[in-house]
Structure formats: structure tokens, C-alpha cells
Amino acid sequence: VIERWLARDPDIRSAVKQVTRLGARGSAAFLRGDMMELASCMNENQSLIRDWGGSGEAIDRLVQDCMEEGALAAKLAGAGMGGTVIALGLNLPELEQRLRNRGYENFMRPSSQPGLTIEVLE
């Protein structure tokens, strides 16, 4: 994918622009609490990444398993090669159990944490 980007492959360049737009749409959906729109953005993002060759067989299988077990969305997490996806679902304990039944073992659940705090010293 990197080589295609550096070679100015128009398909890769177009897909990266689409991913950027999806990120903005997904972020806005998240802030509005629109999980169905967020799920749509995540799934479209994963399709683009898969189609340009940036996903891989193991990730594609994990994404498919997440979706078959009830996730609203699942996509590659990070820059790839780590074997990690992020899944969005309405019942995460049930989704996790179903995936455990398929043999998956490692799960992380992020929690809300305070963000950047700026203190002005006088």
C-alpha cells in the first residue's frame, strides 16, 4: 500500500480521501450519539482498507466473526499488522462471550477518561 501511495496510485489516493471523510463523519456521529451512523462509517472504512490490500486474511476473518456474532461494526484498529480490531456493539458482554466461544481470548474495553487539562498559572 505504501509503495502504491508513493507511486501516486489514483485508487489509493482516492481511498485515503474517502477514509478521511469517513473519519470526520464518524466523529460527528459519535458526538451526536448516533451509533448506527458510526457503525456505517466504520464498516465502510474497513471495506476500503480491505479493498486496497491494507487488511489481511486474519483481520478479515476476525471482522467477519465479530459481525456474525452481533457486532454493529468491526474494523482494523491502528495501522495494521497487530491482529487487532475494534468492534461496536449494543451488548458487549454477549459479543465477547460469543467470540470467546469461537476461541478468541484477548479483549480490551476502553473506558472514558478525562482528556487534556490546561491550567493557567498566574
Side-chain angles (χ1 to χ4, degrees):
V1 174
I2 292 170
E3 289 174 8
R4 290 174 64 194
W5 172 264
L6 293 173
R8 304 183 92 52
D9 181 316
D11 292 334
I12 293 295
R13 299 240 167 198
S14 174
V16 168
K17 287 178 184 175
Q18 290 175 46
V19 165
T20 301
R21 286 192 291 272
L22 285 169
R25 247 180 62 209
S27 177
F30 176 78
L31 292 172
R32 287 192 316 272
D34 186 346
M35 293 301 114
M36 297 310 288
E37 175 67 6
L38 175 58
S40 175
C41 292
M42 288 174 64
N43 288 326
E44 191 173 341
N45 177 285
Q46 178 60 29
S47 292
L48 287 167
I49 291 168
R50 182 194 61 236
D51 291 350
W52 79 32
S55 183
E57 185 179 325
I59 291 294
D60 294 343
R61 184 174 49 252
L62 179 50
V63 166
Q64 180 178 340
D65 288 349
C66 286
M67 298 301 291
E68 287 176 3
E69 295 302 344
L72 298 174
K75 66 172 293 304
L76 174 75
M81 306 306 288
T84 303
V85 303
I86 184 168
L88 179 66
L90 298 176
N91 187 335
L92 295 179
E94 183 178 320
L95 176 60
E96 181 178 325
Q97 186 55 55
R98 288 179 175 196
L99 290 168
R100 284 186 186 283
N101 292 345
R102 284 187 179 229
Y104 294 102
E105 299 175 351
N106 297 313
F107 298 86
M108 293 181 285
R109 286 202 201 153
S111 61
S112 295
Q113 301 293 322
L116 175 67
T117 302
I118 298 175
E119 296 181 20
V120 178
L121 301 176
E122 298 197 32

